[in-house]
Amino acid sequence: MNILIKQARILNESSSFHNKTVDIFVESGIIKEIKKSIQPKGNYKTIEAAGLCVSAGWVDMQAVSCDPGYEHKESLDTLVKSAAAGGFTAVCIHNYNQPSLHSKSQIDYILNQTAGKAVQVIPFGTITVEGKGKDLAEMFDMKSAGAMAFSDYKHPIKDAGMILRALQYAANVNSLVIAHANEESISHGGQMNEGEVSTSLGLKGIPALAEELMIERNLSILEYSGGRLHIPTISTKGSVELIKKAKSAGLPVTCGVASVNLYIDDTVLKDFDTNYKLDPPLRTKKDVQALRNAVESGIIDVIVSDHLPQDIESKELEFDLADAGMINLQTSFSCALEGLKEKNLEVLVECMGNNARKILGMEPVRIEEGHSANLTLFTAQDKTLLTEKNNHSKSRNSPFFGKALQGKVLGMIHGAKSVFN
């Protein structure tokens, strides 16, 4: 299908058309023309909207598929549909599977099941066997099969020596280690951020120290061992300061933030809505502002959805019994925009697109004539409304159902494949 995109503002720092409002004609998956006005011949689909913007296709660096093992929560098919509706042309999946993504055969399964889809699914292999932190997994075999990085997902590695060996081994296969930051001996049993709100609600808190201590340890190991380290979801002001200091010292570290942590703080938990129970947790207003400032200044490299589907049996429970996580692929852009506001739109789209490609060693997407189309179409002016009807996930653990959020994804184009909302 040929597509004409009318009067769209291009937001792509790699493009000579950056910040220009133009027409874009996509023919058979290739950007054929970019001009002030285009009137193509033949049949084509026209996309136009007030305040229409086009950026390099977004890449989500933190999501889970639940397939294989927990297909009642999400399947690879529904993951792809959710990602496409959220504007993503690529989505990276961490280990939340049974069997774990700890071998070549599991990486092959993910890639074979998603081949030819509109959204590229990028599997991350586990750092350790079954993601249990005991023995180093076969990184070389998984890298050869197509794993782009290594992560034990939300299971922080307690053994400092294991992180050291993982960083060294990953460097040998030209890859990176993704390490969740949570010192569980400190956060153990915590239900939400430790602070005034947790005290008033009578819930055990998760101190900022639990995150910051683990980050500090891993950065010290990185400085000693070499390699590349990515911290997927930081949530505190102290974590921002640690990353800033490490980057200033020249350490090869990058980090991300969940879009919801840019948007709301822990005061929303006063109603005990388990959909707001997250890992890392929602923090204080000061933490949220520090995270926003860190995105604007480039200390935080990527914004992620942290999409984690949970079924009713896992969420509709007393707060301390409910599992953490929320679905967020379809609302991730709007959460980030609500937090960062339209004035930071250029930074936002880089953090949701080409920055992830740089970290993963992928070629950046350039919006230029003759290049393959890898585009996300959106507007900051319209609103997103997640409903039971337009939710593509198998799960519904989101606090945003029926709540209008700023910004709207109109669709995505990935080569010859496209999806429009």
Side-chain angles (χ1 to χ4, degrees):
M1 178 174 64
N2 297 336
I3 302 165
L4 175 64
I5 305 167
K6 294 289 293 179
Q7 293 304 288
R9 177 188 172 198
I10 293 179
L11 296 176
N12 179 221
E13 292 179 358
S14 303
S15 171
S16 59
F17 296 95
H18 179 54
N19 253 326
K20 294 181 180 178
T21 299
V22 291
D23 287 0
I24 306 169
F25 185 59
V26 178
E27 183 177 74
S28 302
I30 304 296
I31 301 173
K32 193 73 173 177
E33 285 185 281
I34 303 177
K35 292 180 180 177
K36 192 165 186 178
S37 180
I38 301 174
Q39 293 181 327
K41 297 178 181 179
N43 296 322
Y44 55 89
K45 181 182 180 69
T46 301
I47 307 295
E48 54 186 333
L52 178 60
C53 296
V54 176
S55 73
W58 297 340
V59 180
D60 185 27
M61 272 192 71
Q62 176 125 327
V64 296
S65 68
C66 304
D67 176 2
Y70 306 107
E71 291 91 342
H72 59 290
K73 296 183 180 184
E74 196 79 288
S75 67
L76 285 164
D77 186 52
T78 56
L79 175 85
V80 165
K81 288 178 180 177
S82 298
F88 297 97
T89 60
V91 59
C92 304
I93 58 170
H94 295 243
N95 179 56
Y96 187 74
N97 303 91
Q98 190 59 249
S100 300
L101 303 181
H102 70 153
S103 66
K104 178 182 181 297
S105 61
Q106 297 309 314
I107 302 301
D108 285 340
Y109 171 80
I110 298 295
L111 293 174
N112 290 337
Q113 290 296 310
T114 58
K117 300 284 189 183
V119 176
Q120 180 186 6
V121 177
I122 301 169
F124 290 158
T126 60
I127 298 169
T128 61
V129 175
E130 296 183 350
K132 292 184 176 180
K134 301 281 186 185
D135 302 296
L136 206 61
E138 291 293 339
M139 290 186 178
F140 179 80
D141 285 350
M142 289 189 284
K143 171 74 174 181
S144 300
M148 281 200 174
F150 300 96
S151 162
D152 276 3
Y153 189 42
K154 303 281 187 179
H155 301 285
I157 296 176
K158 299 175 184 178
D159 185 341
M162 182 64 70
I163 280 286
L164 186 150
R165 291 188 292 276
L167 284 165
Q168 292 174 329
Y169 200 102
N172 286 335
V173 296
N174 192 28
S175 192
L176 74 153
V177 167
I178 300 174
H180 183 58
N182 179 17
E183 177 48 72
E184 291 179 322
S185 63
I186 292 175
S187 65
H188 182 68
Q191 302 297 312
M192 61 174 293
N193 177 59
E194 181 183 82
E196 292 180 10
V197 180
S198 65
T199 302
S200 68
L201 297 177
L203 292 173
K204 188 177 188 307
I206 301 172
L209 177 66
E211 176 175 304
E212 294 159 12
L213 194 63
M214 185 65 82
I215 289 175
E216 198 162 15
R217 185 203 76 171
N218 289 345
L219 289 174
S220 296
I221 294 170
L222 176 67
E223 185 176 20
Y224 173 82
S225 68
R228 288 189 293 143
L229 176 68
H230 179 73
I231 301 163
T233 47
I234 66 170
S235 67
T236 75
K237 183 179 179 181
S239 295
V240 169
E241 292 303 317
L242 288 168
I243 299 294
K244 181 180 179 180
K245 183 179 177 181
K247 285 189 170 187
S248 296
L251 286 182
V253 61
T254 52
C255 70
V257 62
S259 58
V260 69
N261 287 87
L262 294 170
Y263 174 28
I264 46 184
D265 59 72
D266 59 356
T267 58
V268 298
L269 285 161
K270 290 179 179 179
D271 292 330
F272 294 95
D273 184 348
T274 59
N275 288 315
Y276 285 120
K277 184 177 181 180
L278 307 171
D279 178 18
L282 299 173
R283 300 287 187 178
T284 67
K285 286 181 171 63
K286 288 184 179 179
D287 291 312
V288 173
Q289 190 55 55
L291 294 171
R292 292 170 181 170
N293 294 342
V295 171
E296 293 173 25
S297 63
I299 296 167
I300 291 175
D301 301 275
V302 293
I303 299 169
V304 301
S305 73
D306 203 11
H307 178 79
L308 174 52
Q310 298 285 11
D311 56 13
I312 292 173
E313 287 76 13
S314 303
K315 274 294 187 182
E316 294 192 6
L317 302 166
E318 292 180 17
F319 197 89
D320 59 341
L321 299 177
D323 288 341
M326 65 178 282
I327 57 169
N328 194 34
L329 280 169
Q330 290 181 240
T331 49
S332 189
F333 165 65
S334 290
C335 284
L337 184 61
E338 288 277 5
L340 296 171
K341 308 304 179 189
E342 193 172 348
K343 66 183 177 71
N344 290 305
L345 199 56
E346 292 179 48
V347 173
L348 191 160
V349 297
E350 286 297 310
C351 286
M352 292 185 70
N354 275 339
N355 283 3
R357 292 186 175 91
K358 292 174 188 175
I359 292 170
L360 295 171
M362 301 166 69
E363 284 293 320
V365 169
R366 294 180 61 207
I367 303 178
E368 299 282 1
E369 292 179 354
H371 285 239
S372 178
N374 192 330
L375 311 172
T376 300
L377 291 70
F378 61 95
T379 172
Q381 297 178 13
D382 210 340
K383 300 276 188 179
T384 289
L385 190 67
L386 184 66
T387 66
E388 297 286 353
K389 187 176 181 179
N390 66 21
N391 174 37
H392 291 285
S393 175
K394 280 190 176 183
S395 296
R396 61 176 317 280
N397 55 308
S398 168
F400 301 128
F401 276 95
K403 181 177 181 178
L405 300 173
Q406 192 64 41
K408 184 176 183 179
V409 173
L410 302 180
M412 49 77 79
I413 305 171
H414 190 191
K417 297 184 182 296
S418 57
V419 176
F420 297 103
N421 295 327

